[in-house]
Amino acid sequence: MVRNIVVLGGSSHPQLTQVICDHLGVPEGNALLSKFSVGETRVEINESVRGKDVYIIQSGGGKVNDHLMELLIAISACKTASAAKVTAVLPLFPYSRQSDIPYNKTGAPLVKASNAYNKPDFPYSFESKPQTPHPDHPHSVGLTNGIEGLHKSFAKVQLDDNIPTSAAPSTPQSARFANYANGALKRSDTMESIKSGYSPRSMPSGGPLEEAASSSPSLSKDSSFQPRPGYKQWVAQAGTLVADLLTCAGADHIITMDLHDPQYQGFFDIPVDNLYGRPLLKKYIQYKIPDHQQAVVVSPDAGGAKRATAIADSLRMPFALIHKERRPTKITDRQNATMMLVGDVANRTAILIDDLADTSNTITRAAKLLKKEGATKVIALLTHGVLSGDAIDRINASALDKVVVTNSVPQDEHKKRCPKLEVLDIGHVFAE
């Protein structure tokens, strides 16, 4: 029995919490988790956690937003109750597939907005000239709305003012600024008197200011200026946001399994332990798949190639990769037109390795391609089987012979609906 720790379970996966507590030999912590009638989350810790190490188990499946908010409130409640250390145990990390968007060299995200303002004949955009001045580039022509012409007119007025009155011809501009030639203004020459003496109505028509104003399309009343609502489609950075939420709530340590994107660990200022489900999958291949040395480990996409090759190399098994080909192919099947197999699976058992299956679209398409290439049997090994939407129906109708997942998220309802599903227990991994 482990002393001086408290294990609290969230509402996302109570079965996993009970399995972990049974391995540790400690009772589950007493906490009230519910919701008010308005929908707000209610968390009450009904036992003392002062000076103890608290572990809060909350997975990221199901109602992800509600479970995340419940976890944040529970962490804050334990820190307020003077817990020595609070560790958030997240078998499936929420928002793990929404890491920060990659940027290109100009700083804009690699996503292009699609709206009505992207048409080439749209009259105005915030990407127009002038650009930021650069010493090696010539000056731009300026905006086309007449503002630059107006500045030139004011500059001309100032130049005319510097010319002596005896040499310069009598112009409205030189007469207007003649009051400044004899020094400072008198007390009686107030702004009101200047305005009344030299109002725009009293100026002769046809002056340069009036011509510039009349030639400016932006200053005219019939201007059709319509600013574009946003010149870039910026994507919310959910990765750093979730990391900051957990840290600000008071978490001192994060324990998770098979992060979809390993860069997530760098978003935290606190220790993050990323456990691996690879030993469980290797053990299943060794003891549950007959003649596994003759089977082929297959990665359904290029992103999971490193994970699949690690298992294949450790078990000395051949490896194959499914590449999403974007160029036109000779395959007439629409669903497999963008997928290409690199490797040989003919007359062999194909073992698909992936970290997460949500809608199961990738693994079902991969299984269809493998069967088409001559595989005798297709087995999918997944760490996190979210299986949302119509994923169960898609698996039942697919070419997959068996789908093996872990209980990082609840799988009871999935097992009732899918006879191909097999579940591995990860409770002892987190308990250790």
Side-chain angles (χ1 to χ4, degrees):
M1 180 177 178
V2 183
R3 298 180 181 274
N4 205 35
I5 72 168
V6 175
V7 179
L8 299 177
S11 59
S12 63
H13 202 342
Q15 295 87 356
L16 180 62
T17 304
Q18 189 61 45
V19 170
I20 293 176
C21 290
D22 292 343
H23 276 86
L24 295 175
V26 298
E28 184 179 349
N30 187 7
L32 174 62
L33 306 174
S34 63
K35 284 184 174 296
F36 292 102
S37 59
V38 72
E40 296 178 356
T41 302
R42 177 187 181 188
V43 177
E44 292 183 7
I45 310 299
N46 296 326
E47 66 175 274
S48 176
V49 295
R50 181 181 295 274
K52 297 182 180 180
D53 293 341
V54 181
Y55 294 84
I56 304 175
I57 303 171
Q58 185 80 299
S59 189
K63 300 178 180 179
V64 182
N65 296 327
D66 290 342
H67 296 159
L68 178 59
M69 183 57 63
E70 183 180 273
L71 174 63
L72 296 174
I73 297 176
I75 293 174
S76 178
C78 292
K79 294 298 287 186
T80 306
S82 302
K85 181 181 179 182
V86 178
T87 301
V89 181
L90 300 159
L92 172 60
F93 197 92
Y95 290 86
S96 60
R97 289 180 293 173
Q98 295 190 36
S99 56
D100 289 358
I101 194 75
Y103 291 85
N104 60 12
K105 61 182 180 180
T106 60
L110 303 178
V111 179
K112 186 176 181 180
S114 58
N115 51 37
Y117 299 97
N118 284 332
K119 297 180 180 179
D121 56 346
F122 191 73
Y124 186 83
S125 72
F126 288 106
E127 296 177 351
S128 58
K129 304 293 183 179
Q131 297 177 345
T132 303
H134 195 275
D136 298 333
H137 295 170
H139 292 287
S140 61
V141 296
L143 294 174
T144 59
N145 54 6
I147 298 297
E148 188 171 341
L150 191 61
H151 286 307
K152 289 182 178 180
S153 300
F154 281 119
K156 185 177 180 181
V157 170
Q158 295 177 359
L159 289 175
D160 292 340
D161 183 42
N162 294 330
I163 300 175
T165 55
S166 60
S170 178
T171 60
Q173 288 77 19
S174 60
R176 180 176 181 181
F177 293 95
N179 293 329
Y180 297 94
N182 297 326
L185 288 175
K186 299 179 181 180
R187 186 175 180 86
S188 59
D189 296 335
T190 59
M191 291 299 295
E192 295 296 331
S193 63
I194 294 176
K195 289 182 180 179
S196 61
Y198 297 96
S199 63
R201 296 180 181 178
S202 62
M203 290 186 64
S205 61
L209 293 178
E210 187 175 347
E211 292 177 358
S214 61
S215 63
S216 175
S218 64
L219 298 179
S220 61
K221 295 181 180 180
D222 299 332
S223 175
S224 59
F225 174 77
Q226 296 180 1
R228 183 176 173 182
Y231 69 103
K232 294 292 183 184
Q233 183 183 2
W234 295 103
V235 182
Q237 298 181 350
T240 52
L241 175 61
V242 174
D244 291 341
L245 286 173
L246 289 170
T247 305
C248 294
D252 301 301
H253 188 197
I254 303 293
I255 299 177
T256 185
M257 174 176 278
D258 277 356
L259 278 171
H260 185 72
D261 198 341
Q263 71 170 334
Y264 236 106
Q265 300 176 73
F267 299 156
F268 287 91
D269 296 330
I270 57 178
V272 178
D273 286 338
N274 183 24
L275 306 181
Y276 294 103
R278 189 184 308 160
L280 289 175
L281 303 183
K282 286 173 56 179
K283 188 176 181 180
Y284 182 88
I285 293 174
Q286 287 177 318
Y287 295 101
K288 297 293 183 179
I289 298 179
D291 297 331
H292 66 274
Q293 295 289 346
Q294 304 300 323
V296 181
V297 176
V298 183
S299 175
D301 52 20
K306 186 176 181 180
R307 183 185 308 106
T309 51
I311 295 178
D313 292 343
S314 61
L315 296 177
R316 298 181 180 179
M317 297 171 60
F319 169 75
L321 171 68
I322 294 179
H323 172 60
K324 292 184 179 179
E325 180 65 47
R326 299 300 181 185
R327 294 173 296 180
T329 60
K330 297 181 181 180
I331 304 176
T332 57
D333 192 352
R334 288 182 59 189
Q335 291 186 352
N336 291 335
T338 60
M339 301 185 73
M340 181 177 63
L341 178 65
V342 181
D344 184 20
V345 296
N347 301 321
R348 292 185 176 184
T349 299
I351 304 174
L352 284 167
I353 303 292
D354 207 353
D355 64 328
L356 188 145
D358 188 4
T359 59
S360 303
N361 186 42
T362 301
I363 60 171
T364 52
R365 291 179 61 188
K368 185 175 183 179
L369 179 61
L370 291 173
K371 282 293 184 71
K372 193 172 184 178
E373 295 293 333
T376 58
K377 192 175 182 181
V378 180
I379 302 174
L381 300 183
L382 312 168
T383 304
H384 306 295
V386 179
L387 307 181
S388 62
D390 58 348
I392 297 297
D393 298 332
R394 186 178 285 113
I395 290 175
N396 290 333
S398 69
L400 288 167
D401 296 289
K402 184 179 292 187
V403 178
V404 181
V405 299
T406 67
N407 62 341
S408 60
V409 294
Q411 301 289 349
D412 296 338
E413 294 297 327
H414 297 159
K415 287 186 66 176
K416 295 178 181 178
R417 296 174 51 196
C418 183
K420 300 180 180 180
L421 195 64
E422 187 172 345
V423 182
L424 303 179
D425 184 28
I426 60 171
H428 64 281
V429 178
F430 285 94
E432 294 173 357

